[in-house]
Amino acid sequence: MSLTLLFFVLLLLSATGFYMGRAAAVGASATTQRPLHSLSSFYGWYVLLWCGIPAMMVYVVWIALEGPIVELLVARTMPEAAATGNMGLALSEMRNIAAGITPPGAASAETLRAVEHYKWLSTIAGAALWVVALAAGVMGLAFARGRVSPELRARNSVERVLEIFFLIASVIAILTTIGILLSLIFETVAFFLQVSPIEFLFSTAWSPMLAIRPDQVGASGSFGAVPLFLGTMLIASIAMLTAVPIGLMTAVYMTEYAPKVVRAWGKPILEILAGIPTVVFGFFAALTVAPAIRDFGALIGLEIAAQSALAAGIVMGLMLIPFVSSLSDDVINAVPQSMRDGSYALGATKSETTMRVLLPAALPGIMASVILAFSKALGETMIVVMAAGIAANTTLNPLESVTTVTVNISALLTGEAEFDSPKTLAAFALGFVLFVVTLALNLVALKVVQRYREQYE
């Protein structure tokens, strides 16, 4: 039986509980002539939660445990595979045959019997899941429906459940962040035990291609990441020089100067840029912008590489314009109208009000939009690969080919290198440096926000 169908059935049952709880509360109030403690909708949410939470918990736990338990029971019927130590391979073959991926022709008799047993157990488990989940939902619905009365503090109960939900979500987010940070730290430490941090942070020779045999040329790679850091900052800086002025001026125009018709059509059209995949921007940079820049350079006597940091930075800036513009537009709109009126009352023009009142007051939000755009520029990969290249050149010349940290992270983790080799571990060291830089930018932005927020509130 379909798990997706069961999920929607449980949602329908929970929605039914909502309407039953709300109707029961209204009916109980009319019968007893007593006012409800909470709004009638809270009684509906009370019944919905009692119905949906137990059913969904059974659904999630069952799905998580069903596969391992079924495979454990099937493994007991495969003594030959257990005797030869090939149980994992046998179970994988059994799953592929059961799913129709592998034809059963070449399988052994034991495997075929295990396939039939696996299908039978899966069918039984699926039917049992339907019974148990629906039973949990119906029992929760009946219990909550029976407790509905005018005296029931439904709002308190619902808000308590929401508080627990928000707490769990916050803990998951914090633990996930800690887990990511710890994984980066452990692998970075393992990398620095093999490669000197001084070489990694200050050397300009980046050649992580280790040889397979010790007697080969280049048996010891070079892991100086300075070219990657310079390329990343160069492309990100060009992108910000493109995105911030255009995005900020667009936000000011849309907020203060544009007619309503222009704003109604222009803002959604501008934000379409945010939904375009980055690979499309990469094609645009590689096939249009980079050749145009190279041809223009040849026209005025400049030698520009076919793949240049300038092309990647400009196109990346175009991609970031909606982030700067949309967020800046929102924060400028959020400035109280009283500040505009006060400026006009003192005789200031619209441009003076914009420059001396609105932009300083909206500076915290504008700074947040710039930091968000800069962080996205630091993490961009596809545009750099297609428009700037993969050459690790130590240069600040935007007309040359460069590469970035994220491009090399994806390159280092692609292939068949051992996980504990310096080549693979270098990707985690690069990721850790990128994490530290992004964290530092966020801290700087937080300080700016706190300073100016105190001034303008």
Side-chain angles (χ1 to χ4, degrees):
M1 297 182 182
S2 172
L3 295 178
T4 305
L5 178 60
L6 175 59
F7 179 79
F8 284 107
V9 169
L10 295 178
L11 289 181
L12 180 61
L13 181 63
S14 301
T16 303
F18 174 83
Y19 290 106
M20 290 179 61
R22 189 173 64 178
V26 174
S29 176
T31 302
T32 60
Q33 298 296 318
R34 286 180 293 181
L36 296 173
H37 172 271
S38 310
L39 296 176
S40 61
S41 59
F42 280 106
Y43 293 88
W45 285 109
Y46 178 81
V47 178
L48 182 147
L49 292 174
W50 268 102
C51 175
I53 291 179
M56 289 300 177
M57 289 181 62
V58 170
Y59 181 84
V60 172
V61 173
W62 197 288
I63 291 177
L65 299 180
E66 176 185 340
I69 293 176
V70 169
E71 290 185 3
L72 179 63
L73 296 176
V74 172
R76 296 182 178 179
T77 66
M78 305 175 70
E80 295 179 8
T84 57
N86 295 325
M87 181 58 70
L89 182 61
L91 289 175
S92 178
E93 181 184 9
M94 180 266 301
R95 287 194 298 267
N96 291 336
I97 295 175
I101 301 175
T102 303
S108 63
E110 180 185 77
T111 303
L112 294 178
R113 289 195 300 270
V115 169
E116 296 301 323
H117 191 50
Y118 177 81
K119 290 181 178 179
W120 180 75
L121 288 176
S122 298
T123 303
I124 296 299
L129 173 58
W130 273 78
V131 173
V132 176
L134 288 176
V138 171
M139 290 174 60
L141 188 152
F143 172 78
R145 170 65 179 78
R147 294 197 61 192
V148 172
S149 65
E151 295 80 13
L152 177 66
R153 298 176 177 268
R155 178 176 60 84
N156 297 5
S157 300
V158 171
E159 290 181 349
R160 191 176 304 115
V161 172
L162 291 178
E163 289 177 2
I164 295 173
F165 174 77
F166 293 144
L167 175 63
I168 293 174
S170 302
V171 170
I172 291 175
I174 294 172
L175 293 180
T176 301
T177 304
I178 294 175
I180 293 173
L181 180 59
L182 291 179
S183 65
L184 286 176
I185 291 176
F186 290 150
E187 303 303 332
T188 301
V189 170
F191 172 73
F192 285 142
L193 292 177
Q194 304 180 50
V195 177
S196 170
I198 303 299
E199 176 189 354
F200 178 74
L201 295 174
F202 300 104
S203 176
T204 59
W206 177 258
S207 179
M209 303 305 296
L210 297 177
I212 299 176
R213 300 190 310 273
D215 58 340
Q216 285 182 302
V217 177
S220 58
S222 301
F223 294 92
V226 171
L228 310 186
F229 301 148
L230 288 179
T232 301
M233 297 306 297
L234 176 61
I235 294 178
S237 300
I238 296 173
M240 298 309 296
L241 289 176
T242 304
V244 173
I246 298 177
L248 187 56
M249 287 188 291
T250 302
V252 171
Y253 173 75
M254 289 292 183
T255 305
E256 300 298 320
Y257 296 94
K260 292 183 178 180
V261 176
V262 175
R263 177 178 174 81
W265 286 91
K267 187 174 174 63
I269 292 175
L270 180 65
E271 292 181 349
I272 290 176
L273 287 173
I276 298 177
T278 57
V279 67
V280 177
F281 283 102
F283 278 121
F284 175 66
L287 300 179
T288 303
V289 178
I293 293 176
R294 183 186 58 194
D295 295 342
F296 178 76
L299 188 64
I300 62 176
L302 286 177
E303 183 179 352
I304 301 177
Q307 293 178 313
S308 64
L310 183 60
I314 290 175
V315 175
M316 192 183 298
L318 296 178
M319 180 193 69
L320 297 176
I321 287 175
F323 293 92
V324 178
S325 174
S326 180
L327 293 176
S328 300
D329 181 280
D330 293 338
V331 297
I332 293 174
N333 270 322
V335 175
Q337 183 62 35
S338 58
M339 298 186 70
R340 294 178 174 86
D341 297 338
S343 177
Y344 294 145
L346 293 174
T349 63
K350 183 180 286 291
S351 60
E352 290 174 336
T353 301
T354 301
M355 295 299 298
R356 299 185 180 184
V357 177
L358 298 184
L359 290 183
L363 185 60
I366 294 174
M367 177 64 70
S369 69
V370 172
I371 294 298
L372 175 63
F374 193 70
S375 300
K376 187 173 179 61
L378 292 178
E380 178 53 41
T381 303
M382 288 305 302
I383 295 177
V384 180
V385 170
M386 302 178 71
I390 58 174
N393 295 323
T394 307
T395 179
L396 290 176
N397 186 356
L399 305 181
E400 295 184 9
S401 175
V402 296
T403 189
T404 63
V405 170
T406 54
V407 170
N408 281 269
I409 289 176
S410 62
L412 292 171
L413 295 178
T414 303
E416 299 180 356
E418 296 180 0
F419 187 80
D420 58 350
S421 69
K423 176 184 176 182
T424 304
L425 295 176
F428 294 92
L430 292 173
F432 180 74
V433 172
L434 201 61
F435 175 85
V436 172
V437 171
T438 305
L439 178 62
L441 290 174
N442 289 332
L443 292 177
V444 171
L446 183 61
K447 291 295 183 181
V448 173
V449 169
Q450 290 176 345
R451 175 181 177 183
Y452 284 94
R453 179 170 295 171
E454 293 175 356
Q455 180 176 348
Y456 286 100
E457 281 186 351

